Amino acid sequence: MESLIRDCDKLAKHQSSAFHKTLTPIDQALTQLLKAKEGGSAENLRQALTHIQKLSSGDASASSSSSAPALRELSTNVSKYGKHVEKTFKHPLDTLGDVSTGHVFAQKHGEHIGRALVQHFVHSGQFSLATVYASEAQVQYTGGGGGSGEEEESKFREMFCVAREIQEQRNVERAVAWAAEQGGVCEALEFELRRLRFLQLVEAGEAPGALTYARTWFPKFASTRMPEIEHLMGIFIYAKRLGSSPYAEMFCGERWRQGAAQYVACVCRVLGVPLESPVRVAVDAGALAVPVVGKVAGLMRDRRVEWSQQDELAVEVPLPGGMRFHSVFACPVSKEQATVGNPPMALPCGHVVCRGSLEKLARGVRPGVVASGRFKCPYCPVMASLADARAVHF
């Protein structure tokens, strides 16, 4: 999917370039005509006609010969992009089931979907698009962090403005001031931003200013960041040859983008909204599920069977770790809360029990019973083994 997005961006650049070469002569002719119309004199009209005659003769041929290769290249890129789209999305959506059910779902939950889309546009920084969509779809936007939509939009506007200052202007002052106001919850962000400023002073050759800055602000973080501060202080030894020093990797341009990303993540955490848009996560997860579900749907169609369960997929779709969201789960057998070392496990019958309880059942906890590895589900008569259980991610 990422390669498809990159190719789309390249195609847009080619299109812009081709249109510029093709439409520039026409825009010049229109400009001359408008000047002649506004001037109203015979001289202006004569100049406009002379310019248009040049365009229609030799200049037009030259313009056509220069724009033809660009248009041919654009046509080739459009054809390649179409093939890339077909290769990426191999499975037609109509093979996944009755498409009409999606329309029914959209009609039933249209207002919630509309709010989610507006929230997605706001959280992506597309504020004008969010306004237009909310107006045309007649959706009342409410903030995802508990406040009103207007308050949240204002905070996101400020967030993107400050993030651009960090990444493009390399100015961390506003971000640092905000992080300091939040206290301990953003202490890590404040240290990273002050470290960026410290490195900026060193890179600019202002070693005395950098030392003064470090003495002023770094003691605040001494209790938690002393090893990193000590490491930074050694940079003054290499102040005149940073490029060949052990600190060279700290001065890559990528550090500003990373600082902006850390600031955005911290703001989202304070506002109580997810860093990744729920709409984007849902679409990406759906795109990953399409090949798997399409294959299962084809097998079921060939065998003339139907999936009887509703609101549930016939198979498990493997998702990356970033799309797995965990909540608190208490084992119904041991009454203990699930942990990373003792995760919830789903048995073939569908019941979920923590792994520790399943291991005890597999070993045989009753006196005089020989452990065979197979056991009965604590809630139904289905027999299972530990190997049959699958980890569950909430």
Side-chain angles (χ1 to χ4, degrees):
M1 186 65 70
E2 295 296 331
S3 62
L4 195 64
I5 295 174
R6 286 196 299 270
D7 287 349
C8 183
D9 293 337
K10 291 180 182 178
L11 183 60
K13 291 179 181 178
H14 281 298
Q15 183 185 34
S16 177
S17 176
F19 280 5
H20 176 73
K21 293 179 180 178
T22 306
L23 298 178
T24 297
I26 299 175
D27 290 338
Q28 292 175 354
L30 289 174
T31 302
Q32 291 292 334
L33 287 173
L34 289 173
K35 286 183 179 179
K37 181 180 178 182
E38 293 174 358
S41 64
E43 182 63 25
N44 289 336
L45 181 59
R46 193 179 302 109
Q47 291 178 359
L49 291 175
T50 302
H51 185 76
I52 293 173
Q53 286 175 356
K54 289 182 179 180
L55 289 176
S56 61
S57 56
D59 290 350
S61 300
S63 176
S64 176
S65 62
S66 64
S67 61
L71 291 175
R72 281 196 298 269
E73 184 180 3
L74 176 62
S75 177
T76 302
N77 290 330
V78 169
S79 177
K80 290 181 179 179
Y81 186 72
K83 293 178 181 178
H84 192 177
V85 171
E86 293 176 357
K87 185 178 179 181
T88 303
F89 301 100
K90 299 178 182 178
H91 303 275
L93 293 180
D94 55 2
T95 63
L96 303 181
D98 187 4
V99 182
S100 62
T101 57
H103 298 303
V104 173
F105 181 86
Q107 291 176 355
K108 184 178 180 181
H109 303 282
E111 185 177 354
H112 298 289
I113 295 174
R115 284 203 203 114
L117 287 173
V118 175
Q119 185 183 46
H120 170 74
F121 296 143
V122 170
H123 291 190
S124 302
Q126 304 177 72
F127 303 107
S128 59
L129 180 58
T131 302
V132 172
Y133 178 82
S135 175
E136 294 186 357
Q138 297 181 351
V139 174
Q140 182 66 35
Y141 173 55
T142 56
S148 66
E150 292 78 7
E151 291 177 357
E152 184 168 289
E153 181 178 340
S154 175
K155 291 177 181 178
F156 269 91
R157 283 182 182 275
E158 183 179 1
M159 181 193 77
F160 281 108
C161 181
V162 174
R164 282 193 297 270
E165 288 182 1
I166 297 173
Q167 187 168 350
E168 298 174 7
Q169 303 175 18
R170 301 188 174 185
N171 182 359
V172 299
E173 295 304 321
R174 289 177 63 188
V176 166
W178 178 87
E181 289 177 359
Q182 307 308 313
V185 67
C186 293
E187 182 179 337
L189 172 66
E190 183 183 357
F191 175 77
E192 291 301 327
L193 293 175
R194 293 202 182 279
R195 188 172 72 93
L196 280 176
R197 176 58 181 160
F198 170 79
L199 294 174
Q200 186 181 33
L201 292 171
V202 173
E203 189 177 24
E206 301 178 16
L211 183 59
T212 302
Y213 187 87
R215 286 174 173 172
T216 303
W217 297 110
F218 285 170
K220 177 180 179 180
F221 310 98
S223 60
T224 56
R225 300 279 185 156
M226 183 53 73
E228 296 175 68
I229 295 173
E230 291 175 346
H231 178 67
L232 286 173
M233 292 302 99
I235 203 171
F236 293 107
I237 301 175
Y238 306 92
K240 295 185 178 181
R241 53 185 184 94
L242 295 173
S244 59
S245 71
Y247 297 87
E249 61 181 14
M250 290 187 177
F251 295 93
C252 64
E254 186 70 10
R255 72 184 190 273
W256 297 103
R257 187 196 65 79
Q258 294 173 353
Q262 288 177 330
Y263 168 74
V264 169
C266 194
V267 171
C268 290
R269 184 166 65 250
V270 171
L271 294 179
V273 298
L275 178 61
E276 284 290 338
S277 165
V279 172
R280 172 156 192 158
V281 173
V283 171
D284 289 347
L288 292 173
V290 165
V292 178
V293 176
K295 184 176 181 179
V296 173
L299 291 174
M300 295 173 66
R301 185 172 57 254
D302 294 339
R303 297 181 182 180
R304 298 181 180 180
V305 295
E306 295 183 358
W307 178 245
S308 58
Q309 301 294 326
Q310 294 183 351
D311 300 329
E312 186 176 328
L313 293 177
V315 292
E316 182 179 355
V317 177
L319 295 175
M323 293 184 182
R324 295 179 178 179
F325 302 95
H326 304 264
S327 62
V328 176
F329 173 81
C331 177
V333 176
S334 64
K335 310 302 181 185
E336 296 177 353
Q337 183 175 317
T339 62
V340 176
N342 186 27
M345 307 289 289
L347 296 172
C349 57
H351 292 110
V352 180
V353 182
C354 277
R355 184 181 181 86
S357 299
L358 293 184
E359 291 175 346
K360 291 180 180 178
L361 291 172
R363 289 197 300 266
V365 295
R366 289 178 297 174
V369 176
V370 178
S372 62
R374 294 188 62 80
F375 53 86
K376 185 179 77 68
C377 171
Y379 293 95
C380 70
V382 175
M383 298 296 294
S385 66
L386 192 58
D388 298 330
R390 303 289 297 275
V392 177
H393 301 275
F394 291 93

